[in-house]
Amino acid sequence: MRNYEDTYRHKGLRKKLMDVLRDKGITDETVLAAMNQIPRHFFLDSAFDEIAYEDRAFPISEGQTISQPYTVAYQTQLLQVKPFDKILEIGTGSIYQATVLAEMGVKVLTIERQKVLFEKTKTYIFKSKYPNLKFFFGDGYEGLPTYAPFDKVIITAAAPAIPPKLIDQLKAGGKMIIPVNEGEHQRMLRITKNADGSTSEEAFDNFSFVPMLKGKQG
Ligand code: SAH
């Protein structure tokens, strides 16, 4: 069950959450403005109606999670979203991260490997609001060669290593935000593809994601 009512109380809790994110070091106000527009409780069971605005990850279904708001803000900030960007997301999950990007006005293509979660995108509440957001069922390791190249790639699951096909599908000058490591914690990396096809890497903080798995399920 979902509660698709966005009350003043929800809006108030959301505004406070943006202050929490500022206190934790998020500085990109365009990211915070987008997150402030998105009712996060729409992406969770109604049992989470109020705690949806705590800065925590929560279970969705199929053993997956909706990322912590801080993590969403952090990855989105690192992505340096620009008007007209075409962005590929790996790991649709609850659709929350993809919605934040769609609200920023860019073109978003998101891939999910679990059939049950992909099927849920068909009843996405904001389908008509964000025609710039498109859903795909597939293995994120393969990317979307037909739609490539992308300005940006954002991976919202823990990758054991940087997937080479996703680097291939980046434009020259394009950027990928990816949490890398198989262990309990992943290092957030920003990979930039240079004009000669080589890559440069910047390392940021550690996070904890569900694993990026090979192949489709279901
Ligand atoms: N961006 C999501 C985070 C979901 S958790 C959100 O905002 O809620 C990560 C998701 O990545 C899970 O749904 C998981 O099934 C998916 N995933 C893991 N490996 C994948 C792969 N190889 N390709 C596509 N999706 C993958």
Side-chain angles (χ1 to χ4, degrees):
M1 272 279 289
R2 298 281 171 101
N3 170 19
Y4 288 135
E5 201 189 345
D6 192 27
T7 63
Y8 282 110
R9 172 146 179 84
H10 292 119
K11 290 186 172 81
L13 291 170
R14 198 149 68 236
K15 203 158 174 281
K16 280 195 192 135
L17 173 58
M18 297 314 125
D19 288 334
V20 169
L21 299 180
R22 280 185 195 97
D23 287 347
K24 289 185 177 177
I26 302 299
T27 52
D28 189 334
E29 287 295 328
T30 62
V31 172
L32 293 169
M35 289 180 70
N36 195 41
Q37 290 300 315
I38 313 299
R40 187 171 185 248
H41 66 285
F42 285 15
F43 298 81
L44 289 163
D45 190 90
S46 58
F48 297 91
D49 197 63
E50 296 224 341
I51 57 171
Y53 295 100
E54 291 180 13
D55 189 22
R56 290 165 56 187
F58 291 109
I60 44 172
S61 62
E62 312 314 304
Q64 302 306 320
T65 54
I66 179 171
S67 298
Q68 187 182 337
Y70 176 68
T71 307
V72 172
Y74 194 99
Q75 285 197 284
T76 310
Q77 177 166 292
L78 283 181
L79 207 51
Q80 299 170 318
V81 173
K82 304 221 160 43
F84 311 112
D85 270 354
K86 184 165 77 170
I87 302 180
L88 174 66
E89 182 198 28
I90 311 300
T92 312
S94 70
I95 329 179
Y96 179 70
Q97 168 75 72
T99 303
V100 171
L101 291 171
E103 172 65 28
M104 294 175 85
V106 294
K107 197 166 181 197
V108 187
L109 298 89
T110 181
I111 313 178
E112 175 55 55
R113 68 177 287 280
Q114 294 224 34
K115 192 67 183 261
V116 175
L117 293 175
F118 172 73
E119 289 298 326
K120 286 189 181 175
T121 65
K122 292 179 179 161
T123 55
Y124 177 50
I125 175 102
F126 293 128
K127 223 173 189 41
S128 55
K129 185 173 182 190
Y130 301 115
N132 52 326
L133 169 54
K134 298 268 184 285
F135 301 105
F136 297 84
F137 175 53
D139 178 1
Y141 281 98
E142 300 297 321
L144 290 173
T146 351
Y147 296 86
F150 301 100
D151 298 286
K152 311 274 166 70
V153 175
I154 174 173
I155 294 162
T156 66
I162 297 160
K165 289 182 184 171
L166 298 184
I167 296 289
D168 291 347
Q169 293 174 29
L170 262 187
K171 279 186 195 170
K175 290 179 197 296
M176 174 187 296
I177 309 301
I178 178 169
V180 179
N181 188 12
E182 276 176 297
E184 206 183 318
H185 298 290
Q186 295 82 45
R187 177 58 68 93
M188 194 68 77
L189 300 180
R190 179 164 56 198
I191 313 293
T192 303
K193 186 168 176 178
N194 304 315
D196 64 1
S198 65
T199 54
S200 320
E201 193 175 300
E202 298 163 273
F204 299 91
D205 295 318
N206 283 331
F207 290 84
S208 191
F209 284 84
V210 295
M212 180 172 175
L213 301 171
K214 290 244 157 81
K216 291 187 272 192
Q217 183 170 314

